[in-house]
PDB file of all heavy atoms in Angstrom:
ATOM      1  N   ASN A   1      28.545  -4.556  10.758  1.00  0.00           N
ATOM      2  CA  ASN A   1      28.262  -5.948  10.406  1.00  0.00           C
ATOM      3  C   ASN A   1      26.879  -6.167  10.048  1.00  0.00           C
ATOM      4  O   ASN A   1      26.022  -6.315  10.860  1.00  0.00           O
ATOM      5  CB  ASN A   1      28.789  -6.681  11.760  1.00  0.00           C
ATOM      6  CG  ASN A   1      28.546  -8.217  11.610  1.00  0.00           C
ATOM      7  OD1 ASN A   1      28.617  -8.690  10.388  1.00  0.00           O
ATOM      8  ND2 ASN A   1      28.471  -8.931  12.744  1.00  0.00           N
ATOM      9  N   HIS A   2      26.608  -6.444   8.816  1.00  0.00           N
ATOM     10  CA  HIS A   2      25.321  -6.553   8.291  1.00  0.00           C
ATOM     11  C   HIS A   2      24.789  -7.967   8.252  1.00  0.00           C
ATOM     12  O   HIS A   2      23.585  -8.233   7.956  1.00  0.00           O
ATOM     13  CB  HIS A   2      25.242  -5.942   6.865  1.00  0.00           C
ATOM     14  CG  HIS A   2      26.349  -6.391   5.904  1.00  0.00           C
ATOM     15  ND1 HIS A   2      26.368  -7.771   5.493  1.00  0.00           N
ATOM     16  CD2 HIS A   2      27.352  -5.802   5.282  1.00  0.00           C
ATOM     17  CE1 HIS A   2      27.320  -7.955   4.599  1.00  0.00           C
ATOM     18  NE2 HIS A   2      28.062  -6.773   4.458  1.00  0.00           N
ATOM     19  N   GLN A   3      25.691  -8.949   8.523  1.00  0.00           N
ATOM     20  CA  GLN A   3      25.298 -10.344   8.531  1.00  0.00           C
ATOM     21  C   GLN A   3      24.622 -10.865   7.209  1.00  0.00           C
ATOM     22  O   GLN A   3      23.838 -11.770   7.286  1.00  0.00           O
ATOM     23  CB  GLN A   3      24.346 -10.597   9.732  1.00  0.00           C
ATOM     24  CG  GLN A   3      24.850 -10.206  11.033  1.00  0.00           C
ATOM     25  CD  GLN A   3      23.872 -10.340  12.209  1.00  0.00           C
ATOM     26  OE1 GLN A   3      22.790  -9.669  12.104  1.00  0.00           O
ATOM     27  NE2 GLN A   3      24.154 -11.155  13.186  1.00  0.00           N
ATOM     28  N   GLY A   4      24.989 -10.166   6.076  1.00  0.00           N
ATOM     29  CA  GLY A   4      24.480 -10.577   4.956  1.00  0.00           C
ATOM     30  C   GLY A   4      23.056 -10.080   4.589  1.00  0.00           C
ATOM     31  O   GLY A   4      22.352 -10.508   3.603  1.00  0.00           O
ATOM     32  N   VAL A   5      22.463  -9.154   5.290  1.00  0.00           N
ATOM     33  CA  VAL A   5      21.135  -8.644   5.293  1.00  0.00           C
ATOM     34  C   VAL A   5      21.045  -7.124   5.465  1.00  0.00           C
ATOM     35  O   VAL A   5      21.580  -6.609   6.527  1.00  0.00           O
ATOM     36  CB  VAL A   5      20.263  -9.358   6.230  1.00  0.00           C
ATOM     37  CG1 VAL A   5      18.790  -8.792   6.046  1.00  0.00           C
ATOM     38  CG2 VAL A   5      20.202 -10.829   6.081  1.00  0.00           C
ATOM     39  N   ILE A   6      20.530  -6.420   4.543  1.00  0.00           N
ATOM     40  CA  ILE A   6      20.250  -5.002   4.649  1.00  0.00           C
ATOM     41  C   ILE A   6      18.818  -4.777   4.077  1.00  0.00           C
ATOM     42  O   ILE A   6      18.486  -5.259   2.978  1.00  0.00           O
ATOM     43  CB  ILE A   6      21.272  -4.085   3.960  1.00  0.00           C
ATOM     44  CG1 ILE A   6      22.582  -4.149   4.689  1.00  0.00           C
ATOM     45  CG2 ILE A   6      20.835  -2.658   3.969  1.00  0.00           C
ATOM     46  CD1 ILE A   6      23.727  -3.283   3.994  1.00  0.00           C
ATOM     47  N   ALA A   7      18.059  -3.845   4.665  1.00  0.00           N
ATOM     48  CA  ALA A   7      16.766  -3.572   4.132  1.00  0.00           C
ATOM     49  C   ALA A   7      16.587  -2.042   4.107  1.00  0.00           C
ATOM     50  O   ALA A   7      17.350  -1.322   4.938  1.00  0.00           O
ATOM     51  CB  ALA A   7      15.647  -4.121   5.040  1.00  0.00           C
ATOM     52  N   PHE A   8      15.884  -1.555   3.283  1.00  0.00           N
ATOM     53  CA  PHE A   8      15.471  -0.141   3.086  1.00  0.00           C
ATOM     54  C   PHE A   8      14.179   0.218   3.718  1.00  0.00           C
ATOM     55  O   PHE A   8      13.119  -0.335   3.284  1.00  0.00           O
ATOM     56  CB  PHE A   8      15.466   0.168   1.582  1.00  0.00           C
ATOM     57  CG  PHE A   8      16.777   0.144   0.913  1.00  0.00           C
ATOM     58  CD1 PHE A   8      17.205  -1.023   0.341  1.00  0.00           C
ATOM     59  CD2 PHE A   8      17.667   1.287   0.869  1.00  0.00           C
ATOM     60  CE1 PHE A   8      18.407  -1.085  -0.329  1.00  0.00           C
ATOM     61  CE2 PHE A   8      18.868   1.152   0.269  1.00  0.00           C
ATOM     62  CZ  PHE A   8      19.201  -0.026  -0.429  1.00  0.00           C
ATOM     63  N   ALA A   9      14.247   0.900   4.804  1.00  0.00           N
ATOM     64  CA  ALA A   9      12.997   1.250   5.533  1.00  0.00           C
ATOM     65  C   ALA A   9      12.162   2.341   4.699  1.00  0.00           C
ATOM     66  O   ALA A   9      12.759   3.075   3.875  1.00  0.00           O
ATOM     67  CB  ALA A   9      13.279   2.011   6.841  1.00  0.00           C
ATOM     68  N   GLY A  10      10.958   2.060   4.594  1.00  0.00           N
ATOM     69  CA  GLY A  10      10.078   2.930   3.678  1.00  0.00           C
ATOM     70  C   GLY A  10       9.554   4.190   4.304  1.00  0.00           C
ATOM     71  O   GLY A  10       9.541   4.318   5.496  1.00  0.00           O
ATOM     72  N   LEU A  11       9.267   5.106   3.475  1.00  0.00           N
ATOM     73  CA  LEU A  11       8.639   6.397   3.945  1.00  0.00           C
ATOM     74  C   LEU A  11       7.173   6.353   3.885  1.00  0.00           C
ATOM     75  O   LEU A  11       6.472   7.156   4.517  1.00  0.00           O
ATOM     76  CB  LEU A  11       9.025   7.564   3.045  1.00  0.00           C
ATOM     77  CG  LEU A  11      10.667   7.982   3.193  1.00  0.00           C
ATOM     78  CD1 LEU A  11      10.938   8.927   2.105  1.00  0.00           C
ATOM     79  CD2 LEU A  11      10.923   8.412   4.606  1.00  0.00           C
ATOM     80  N   VAL A  12       6.590   5.338   3.051  1.00  0.00           N
ATOM     81  CA  VAL A  12       5.248   5.163   2.904  1.00  0.00           C
ATOM     82  C   VAL A  12       4.724   3.957   3.620  1.00  0.00           C
ATOM     83  O   VAL A  12       5.403   2.911   3.543  1.00  0.00           O
ATOM     84  CB  VAL A  12       4.884   5.128   1.416  1.00  0.00           C
ATOM     85  CG1 VAL A  12       3.347   4.915   1.233  1.00  0.00           C
ATOM     86  CG2 VAL A  12       5.259   6.429   0.674  1.00  0.00           C
ATOM     87  N   SER A  13       3.567   3.966   4.285  1.00  0.00           N
ATOM     88  CA  SER A  13       3.038   2.720   4.910  1.00  0.00           C
ATOM     89  C   SER A  13       2.090   2.099   3.899  1.00  0.00           C
ATOM     90  O   SER A  13       1.258   2.699   3.484  1.00  0.00           O
ATOM     91  CB  SER A  13       2.243   3.267   6.135  1.00  0.00           C
ATOM     92  OG  SER A  13       3.043   3.875   7.072  1.00  0.00           O
ATOM     93  N   TYR A  14       2.536   0.907   3.679  1.00  0.00           N
ATOM     94  CA  TYR A  14       1.717   0.030   2.652  1.00  0.00           C
ATOM     95  C   TYR A  14       0.628  -0.659   3.471  1.00  0.00           C
ATOM     96  O   TYR A  14       0.724  -1.154   4.582  1.00  0.00           O
ATOM     97  CB  TYR A  14       2.593  -0.948   1.994  1.00  0.00           C
ATOM     98  CG  TYR A  14       3.626  -0.300   1.168  1.00  0.00           C
ATOM     99  CD1 TYR A  14       5.050  -0.337   1.637  1.00  0.00           C
ATOM    100  CD2 TYR A  14       3.292   0.443   0.009  1.00  0.00           C
ATOM    101  CE1 TYR A  14       6.087   0.251   0.793  1.00  0.00           C
ATOM    102  CE2 TYR A  14       4.378   1.030  -0.816  1.00  0.00           C
ATOM    103  CZ  TYR A  14       5.683   0.870  -0.304  1.00  0.00           C
ATOM    104  OH  TYR A  14       6.618   1.533  -1.040  1.00  0.00           O
ATOM    105  N   MET A  15      -0.604  -0.766   2.766  1.00  0.00           N
ATOM    106  CA  MET A  15      -1.770  -1.333   3.409  1.00  0.00           C
ATOM    107  C   MET A  15      -2.226  -2.553   2.599  1.00  0.00           C
ATOM    108  O   MET A  15      -1.911  -2.596   1.406  1.00  0.00           O
ATOM    109  CB  MET A  15      -2.891  -0.242   3.407  1.00  0.00           C
ATOM    110  CG  MET A  15      -2.471   1.185   3.827  1.00  0.00           C
ATOM    111  SD  MET A  15      -1.715   1.306   5.385  1.00  0.00           S
ATOM    112  CE  MET A  15      -3.248   1.223   6.454  1.00  0.00           C
ATOM    113  N   ASP A  16      -2.972  -3.318   3.237  1.00  0.00           N
ATOM    114  CA  ASP A  16      -3.643  -4.595   2.597  1.00  0.00           C
ATOM    115  C   ASP A  16      -4.837  -4.134   1.796  1.00  0.00           C
ATOM    116  O   ASP A  16      -5.650  -3.371   2.379  1.00  0.00           O
ATOM    117  CB  ASP A  16      -3.915  -5.568   3.669  1.00  0.00           C
ATOM    118  CG  ASP A  16      -4.669  -6.785   3.088  1.00  0.00           C
ATOM    119  OD1 ASP A  16      -3.987  -7.624   2.452  1.00  0.00           O
ATOM    120  OD2 ASP A  16      -5.884  -6.856   3.299  1.00  0.00           O
ATOM    121  N   LEU A  17      -4.934  -4.608   0.549  1.00  0.00           N
ATOM    122  CA  LEU A  17      -5.994  -4.173  -0.237  1.00  0.00           C
ATOM    123  C   LEU A  17      -7.431  -4.478   0.343  1.00  0.00           C
ATOM    124  O   LEU A  17      -8.312  -3.579   0.325  1.00  0.00           O
ATOM    125  CB  LEU A  17      -5.922  -4.811  -1.589  1.00  0.00           C
ATOM    126  CG  LEU A  17      -6.929  -4.488  -2.645  1.00  0.00           C
ATOM    127  CD1 LEU A  17      -7.120  -3.037  -2.900  1.00  0.00           C
ATOM    128  CD2 LEU A  17      -6.645  -5.203  -4.032  1.00  0.00           C
ATOM    129  N   GLN A  18      -7.593  -5.680   0.790  1.00  0.00           N
ATOM    130  CA  GLN A  18      -8.863  -5.966   1.265  1.00  0.00           C
ATOM    131  C   GLN A  18      -9.219  -5.072   2.589  1.00  0.00           C
ATOM    132  O   GLN A  18     -10.440  -4.668   2.641  1.00  0.00           O
ATOM    133  CB  GLN A  18      -8.997  -7.481   1.747  1.00  0.00           C
ATOM    134  CG  GLN A  18     -10.325  -7.880   2.216  1.00  0.00           C
ATOM    135  CD  GLN A  18     -11.407  -7.772   1.103  1.00  0.00           C
ATOM    136  OE1 GLN A  18     -11.368  -8.313  -0.003  1.00  0.00           O
ATOM    137  NE2 GLN A  18     -12.434  -7.026   1.506  1.00  0.00           N
ATOM    138  N   GLU A  19      -8.264  -4.860   3.382  1.00  0.00           N
ATOM    139  CA  GLU A  19      -8.493  -4.031   4.522  1.00  0.00           C
ATOM    140  C   GLU A  19      -8.814  -2.588   4.088  1.00  0.00           C
ATOM    141  O   GLU A  19      -9.724  -1.967   4.751  1.00  0.00           O
ATOM    142  CB  GLU A  19      -7.271  -3.903   5.433  1.00  0.00           C
ATOM    143  CG  GLU A  19      -7.017  -5.325   6.121  1.00  0.00           C
ATOM    144  CD  GLU A  19      -5.867  -5.237   7.106  1.00  0.00           C
ATOM    145  OE1 GLU A  19      -5.201  -4.116   7.159  1.00  0.00           O
ATOM    146  OE2 GLU A  19      -5.486  -6.201   7.754  1.00  0.00           O
ATOM    147  N   VAL A  20      -8.167  -2.114   2.946  1.00  0.00           N
ATOM    148  CA  VAL A  20      -8.514  -0.749   2.492  1.00  0.00           C
ATOM    149  C   VAL A  20     -10.053  -0.763   1.981  1.00  0.00           C
ATOM    150  O   VAL A  20     -10.727   0.232   2.192  1.00  0.00           O
ATOM    151  CB  VAL A  20      -7.549  -0.323   1.446  1.00  0.00           C
ATOM    152  CG1 VAL A  20      -7.947   0.876   0.691  1.00  0.00           C
ATOM    153  CG2 VAL A  20      -6.158  -0.016   2.058  1.00  0.00           C
ATOM    154  N   ILE A  21     -10.280  -1.720   1.205  1.00  0.00           N
ATOM    155  CA  ILE A  21     -11.666  -1.873   0.709  1.00  0.00           C
ATOM    156  C   ILE A  21     -12.692  -1.806   1.858  1.00  0.00           C
ATOM    157  O   ILE A  21     -13.727  -1.014   1.806  1.00  0.00           O
ATOM    158  CB  ILE A  21     -11.888  -3.012  -0.092  1.00  0.00           C
ATOM    159  CG1 ILE A  21     -11.034  -3.009  -1.400  1.00  0.00           C
ATOM    160  CG2 ILE A  21     -13.404  -3.116  -0.551  1.00  0.00           C
ATOM    161  CD1 ILE A  21     -10.940  -4.274  -2.262  1.00  0.00           C
ATOM    162  N   ASP A  22     -12.454  -2.671   2.843  1.00  0.00           N
ATOM    163  CA  ASP A  22     -13.427  -2.704   3.928  1.00  0.00           C
ATOM    164  C   ASP A  22     -13.463  -1.377   4.720  1.00  0.00           C
ATOM    165  O   ASP A  22     -14.530  -0.882   5.083  1.00  0.00           O
ATOM    166  CB  ASP A  22     -12.930  -3.765   4.976  1.00  0.00           C
ATOM    167  CG  ASP A  22     -12.982  -5.254   4.452  1.00  0.00           C
ATOM    168  OD1 ASP A  22     -13.791  -5.409   3.409  1.00  0.00           O
ATOM    169  OD2 ASP A  22     -12.436  -6.148   4.872  1.00  0.00           O
ATOM    170  N   HIS A  23     -12.364  -0.797   4.871  1.00  0.00           N
ATOM    171  CA  HIS A  23     -12.211   0.594   5.555  1.00  0.00           C
ATOM    172  C   HIS A  23     -13.003   1.644   4.728  1.00  0.00           C
ATOM    173  O   HIS A  23     -13.827   2.434   5.404  1.00  0.00           O
ATOM    174  CB  HIS A  23     -10.878   0.878   5.796  1.00  0.00           C
ATOM    175  CG  HIS A  23     -10.600   2.272   6.425  1.00  0.00           C
ATOM    176  ND1 HIS A  23     -10.915   2.522   7.795  1.00  0.00           N
ATOM    177  CD2 HIS A  23     -10.105   3.470   5.918  1.00  0.00           C
ATOM    178  CE1 HIS A  23     -10.575   3.787   8.084  1.00  0.00           C
ATOM    179  NE2 HIS A  23     -10.254   4.306   7.075  1.00  0.00           N
ATOM    180  N   VAL A  24     -12.782   1.692   3.436  1.00  0.00           N
ATOM    181  CA  VAL A  24     -13.475   2.802   2.635  1.00  0.00           C
ATOM    182  C   VAL A  24     -14.958   2.503   2.709  1.00  0.00           C
ATOM    183  O   VAL A  24     -15.748   3.463   2.846  1.00  0.00           O
ATOM    184  CB  VAL A  24     -12.831   2.642   1.276  1.00  0.00           C
ATOM    185  CG1 VAL A  24     -13.789   3.621   0.277  1.00  0.00           C
ATOM    186  CG2 VAL A  24     -11.433   3.127   1.181  1.00  0.00           C
ATOM    187  N   VAL A  25     -15.428   1.265   2.559  1.00  0.00           N
ATOM    188  CA  VAL A  25     -16.866   1.034   2.483  1.00  0.00           C
ATOM    189  C   VAL A  25     -17.463   1.362   3.810  1.00  0.00           C
ATOM    190  O   VAL A  25     -18.505   1.824   4.042  1.00  0.00           O
ATOM    191  CB  VAL A  25     -17.117  -0.405   2.072  1.00  0.00           C
ATOM    192  CG1 VAL A  25     -18.569  -0.794   2.284  1.00  0.00           C
ATOM    193  CG2 VAL A  25     -16.666  -0.618   0.636  1.00  0.00           C
ATOM    194  N   SER A  26     -16.733   0.955   4.949  1.00  0.00           N
ATOM    195  CA  SER A  26     -17.226   1.171   6.345  1.00  0.00           C
ATOM    196  C   SER A  26     -17.506   2.650   6.666  1.00  0.00           C
ATOM    197  O   SER A  26     -18.262   2.989   7.411  1.00  0.00           O
ATOM    198  CB  SER A  26     -16.375   0.560   7.389  1.00  0.00           C
ATOM    199  OG  SER A  26     -15.203   1.174   7.491  1.00  0.00           O
ATOM    200  N   GLU A  27     -16.658   3.497   6.014  1.00  0.00           N
ATOM    201  CA  GLU A  27     -16.833   4.999   6.171  1.00  0.00           C
ATOM    202  C   GLU A  27     -17.811   5.569   5.278  1.00  0.00           C
ATOM    203  O   GLU A  27     -18.124   6.773   5.266  1.00  0.00           O
ATOM    204  CB  GLU A  27     -15.484   5.588   5.842  1.00  0.00           C
ATOM    205  CG  GLU A  27     -14.332   5.392   6.884  1.00  0.00           C
ATOM    206  CD  GLU A  27     -13.182   6.405   6.650  1.00  0.00           C
ATOM    207  OE1 GLU A  27     -12.949   6.743   5.529  1.00  0.00           O
ATOM    208  OE2 GLU A  27     -12.723   6.776   7.767  1.00  0.00           O
ATOM    209  N   GLY A  28     -18.509   4.698   4.518  1.00  0.00           N
ATOM    210  CA  GLY A  28     -19.750   5.144   3.690  1.00  0.00           C
ATOM    211  C   GLY A  28     -19.203   5.827   2.461  1.00  0.00           C
ATOM    212  O   GLY A  28     -19.965   6.532   1.740  1.00  0.00           O
ATOM    213  N   LYS A  29     -17.913   5.605   1.974  1.00  0.00           N
ATOM    214  CA  LYS A  29     -17.414   6.153   0.819  1.00  0.00           C
ATOM    215  C   LYS A  29     -17.490   5.242  -0.398  1.00  0.00           C
ATOM    216  O   LYS A  29     -17.636   4.097  -0.318  1.00  0.00           O
ATOM    217  CB  LYS A  29     -15.945   6.559   0.951  1.00  0.00           C
ATOM    218  CG  LYS A  29     -15.776   7.557   2.091  1.00  0.00           C
ATOM    219  CD  LYS A  29     -14.244   7.869   2.292  1.00  0.00           C
ATOM    220  CE  LYS A  29     -14.087   9.053   3.322  1.00  0.00           C
ATOM    221  NZ  LYS A  29     -12.664   9.229   3.578  1.00  0.00           N
ATOM    222  N   ASN A  30     -17.693   5.872  -1.560  1.00  0.00           N
ATOM    223  CA  ASN A  30     -17.807   5.185  -2.738  1.00  0.00           C
ATOM    224  C   ASN A  30     -16.324   4.868  -3.321  1.00  0.00           C
ATOM    225  O   ASN A  30     -15.624   5.851  -3.799  1.00  0.00           O
ATOM    226  CB  ASN A  30     -18.674   5.964  -3.841  1.00  0.00           C
ATOM    227  CG  ASN A  30     -18.888   5.314  -5.054  1.00  0.00           C
ATOM    228  OD1 ASN A  30     -18.593   4.009  -5.273  1.00  0.00           O
ATOM    229  ND2 ASN A  30     -19.481   5.963  -6.053  1.00  0.00           N
ATOM    230  N   PRO A  31     -15.920   3.650  -3.360  1.00  0.00           N
ATOM    231  CA  PRO A  31     -14.571   3.277  -3.724  1.00  0.00           C
ATOM    232  C   PRO A  31     -14.155   3.915  -5.111  1.00  0.00           C
ATOM    233  O   PRO A  31     -14.892   3.738  -6.200  1.00  0.00           O
ATOM    234  CB  PRO A  31     -14.523   1.893  -3.870  1.00  0.00           C
ATOM    235  CG  PRO A  31     -15.442   1.404  -2.806  1.00  0.00           C
ATOM    236  CD  PRO A  31     -16.644   2.403  -2.892  1.00  0.00           C
ATOM    237  N   LEU A  32     -13.043   4.644  -5.210  1.00  0.00           N
ATOM    238  CA  LEU A  32     -12.438   5.034  -6.432  1.00  0.00           C
ATOM    239  C   LEU A  32     -10.841   4.935  -6.333  1.00  0.00           C
ATOM    240  O   LEU A  32     -10.279   5.722  -5.554  1.00  0.00           O
ATOM    241  CB  LEU A  32     -12.751   6.601  -6.637  1.00  0.00           C
ATOM    242  CG  LEU A  32     -12.144   7.245  -7.860  1.00  0.00           C
ATOM    243  CD1 LEU A  32     -12.464   6.511  -9.317  1.00  0.00           C
ATOM    244  CD2 LEU A  32     -12.418   8.743  -8.018  1.00  0.00           C
ATOM    245  N   PHE A  33     -10.463   3.863  -6.923  1.00  0.00           N
ATOM    246  CA  PHE A  33      -9.021   3.484  -6.716  1.00  0.00           C
ATOM    247  C   PHE A  33      -8.251   3.694  -7.973  1.00  0.00           C
ATOM    248  O   PHE A  33      -8.880   3.686  -9.198  1.00  0.00           O
ATOM    249  CB  PHE A  33      -8.906   2.049  -6.235  1.00  0.00           C
ATOM    250  CG  PHE A  33      -9.510   1.738  -5.000  1.00  0.00           C
ATOM    251  CD1 PHE A  33      -9.738   0.394  -4.613  1.00  0.00           C
ATOM    252  CD2 PHE A  33      -9.944   2.684  -4.026  1.00  0.00           C
ATOM    253  CE1 PHE A  33     -10.382   0.057  -3.390  1.00  0.00           C
ATOM    254  CE2 PHE A  33     -10.528   2.414  -2.828  1.00  0.00           C
ATOM    255  CZ  PHE A  33     -10.752   1.096  -2.561  1.00  0.00           C
ATOM    256  N   VAL A  34      -6.907   3.744  -8.019  1.00  0.00           N
ATOM    257  CA  VAL A  34      -6.100   3.761  -9.136  1.00  0.00           C
ATOM    258  C   VAL A  34      -5.107   2.719  -9.046  1.00  0.00           C
ATOM    259  O   VAL A  34      -4.346   2.581  -8.008  1.00  0.00           O
ATOM    260  CB  VAL A  34      -5.453   5.097  -9.360  1.00  0.00           C
ATOM    261  CG1 VAL A  34      -4.333   5.136 -10.526  1.00  0.00           C
ATOM    262  CG2 VAL A  34      -6.431   6.252  -9.648  1.00  0.00           C
ATOM    263  N   MET A  35      -4.910   1.892 -10.091  1.00  0.00           N
ATOM    264  CA  MET A  35      -3.900   0.907 -10.097  1.00  0.00           C
ATOM    265  C   MET A  35      -2.852   1.195 -11.180  1.00  0.00           C
ATOM    266  O   MET A  35      -3.212   1.617 -12.303  1.00  0.00           O
ATOM    267  CB  MET A  35      -4.601  -0.585 -10.457  1.00  0.00           C
ATOM    268  CG  MET A  35      -3.579  -1.691 -10.520  1.00  0.00           C
ATOM    269  SD  MET A  35      -4.396  -3.282 -11.018  1.00  0.00           S
ATOM    270  CE  MET A  35      -5.389  -3.585  -9.639  1.00  0.00           C
ATOM    271  N   LEU A  36      -1.545   0.968 -10.871  1.00  0.00           N
ATOM    272  CA  LEU A  36      -0.494   1.359 -11.831  1.00  0.00           C
ATOM    273  C   LEU A  36       0.179   0.140 -12.222  1.00  0.00           C
ATOM    274  O   LEU A  36       0.635  -0.756 -11.421  1.00  0.00           O
ATOM    275  CB  LEU A  36       0.491   2.289 -11.081  1.00  0.00           C
ATOM    276  CG  LEU A  36      -0.126   3.633 -10.581  1.00  0.00           C
ATOM    277  CD1 LEU A  36       0.972   4.438 -10.057  1.00  0.00           C
ATOM    278  CD2 LEU A  36      -0.767   4.377 -11.730  1.00  0.00           C
ATOM    279  N   ASP A  37       0.252  -0.064 -13.564  1.00  0.00           N
ATOM    280  CA  ASP A  37       0.886  -1.238 -14.157  1.00  0.00           C
ATOM    281  C   ASP A  37       2.112  -0.765 -15.084  1.00  0.00           C
ATOM    282  O   ASP A  37       1.901  -0.328 -16.064  1.00  0.00           O
ATOM    283  CB  ASP A  37      -0.023  -1.978 -15.095  1.00  0.00           C
ATOM    284  CG  ASP A  37       0.570  -3.174 -15.793  1.00  0.00           C
ATOM    285  OD1 ASP A  37       1.588  -3.644 -15.306  1.00  0.00           O
ATOM    286  OD2 ASP A  37       0.123  -3.503 -16.881  1.00  0.00           O
ATOM    287  N   GLY A  38       3.373  -1.078 -14.515  1.00  0.00           N
ATOM    288  CA  GLY A  38       4.514  -0.598 -15.380  1.00  0.00           C
ATOM    289  C   GLY A  38       5.007   0.859 -15.288  1.00  0.00           C
ATOM    290  O   GLY A  38       5.793   1.281 -15.934  1.00  0.00           O
ATOM    291  N   VAL A  39       4.309   1.627 -14.306  1.00  0.00           N
ATOM    292  CA  VAL A  39       4.719   2.991 -14.044  1.00  0.00           C
ATOM    293  C   VAL A  39       5.829   3.020 -13.102  1.00  0.00           C
ATOM    294  O   VAL A  39       5.571   2.724 -11.956  1.00  0.00           O
ATOM    295  CB  VAL A  39       3.543   3.838 -13.699  1.00  0.00           C
ATOM    296  CG1 VAL A  39       3.848   5.315 -13.381  1.00  0.00           C
ATOM    297  CG2 VAL A  39       2.299   3.800 -14.572  1.00  0.00           C
ATOM    298  N   THR A  40       7.012   3.370 -13.545  1.00  0.00           N
ATOM    299  CA  THR A  40       8.224   3.244 -12.687  1.00  0.00           C
ATOM    300  C   THR A  40       8.774   4.527 -12.133  1.00  0.00           C
ATOM    301  O   THR A  40       9.503   4.605 -11.213  1.00  0.00           O
ATOM    302  CB  THR A  40       9.385   2.446 -13.514  1.00  0.00           C
ATOM    303  OG1 THR A  40       9.612   3.293 -14.737  1.00  0.00           O
ATOM    304  CG2 THR A  40       8.899   1.058 -13.871  1.00  0.00           C
ATOM    305  N   ASP A  41       8.448   5.702 -12.854  1.00  0.00           N
ATOM    306  CA  ASP A  41       8.897   7.034 -12.415  1.00  0.00           C
ATOM    307  C   ASP A  41       8.220   7.384 -11.192  1.00  0.00           C
ATOM    308  O   ASP A  41       7.036   7.618 -11.149  1.00  0.00           O
ATOM    309  CB  ASP A  41       8.684   8.043 -13.562  1.00  0.00           C
ATOM    310  CG  ASP A  41       9.416   9.376 -13.309  1.00  0.00           C
ATOM    311  OD1 ASP A  41       9.483   9.786 -12.182  1.00  0.00           O
ATOM    312  OD2 ASP A  41       9.925   9.906 -14.225  1.00  0.00           O
TER     313      ASP A  41
END
């Protein structure tokens, strides 16, 4: 009985971008990120 709602649990933990930036900087690392636009495979 799904009550009209089903979700797919993820295998990957998604993070907030600002939190990631703060975390990387607080560790003394030089940010190097990759952003994907339209990459579906």
Side-chain angles (χ1 to χ4, degrees):
N1 179 18
H2 51 68
Q3 302 173 301
V5 177
I6 291 178
F8 292 89
L11 292 173
V12 174
S13 298
Y14 298 109
M15 317 300 283
D16 177 74
L17 177 56
Q18 184 60 60
E19 289 183 2
V20 167
I21 294 169
D22 293 343
H23 180 69
V24 169
V25 172
S26 70
E27 287 195 326
K29 295 179 180 176
N30 185 7
L32 176 59
F33 300 164
V34 174
M35 180 183 292
L36 301 182
D37 175 27
V39 180
T40 57
D41 189 320

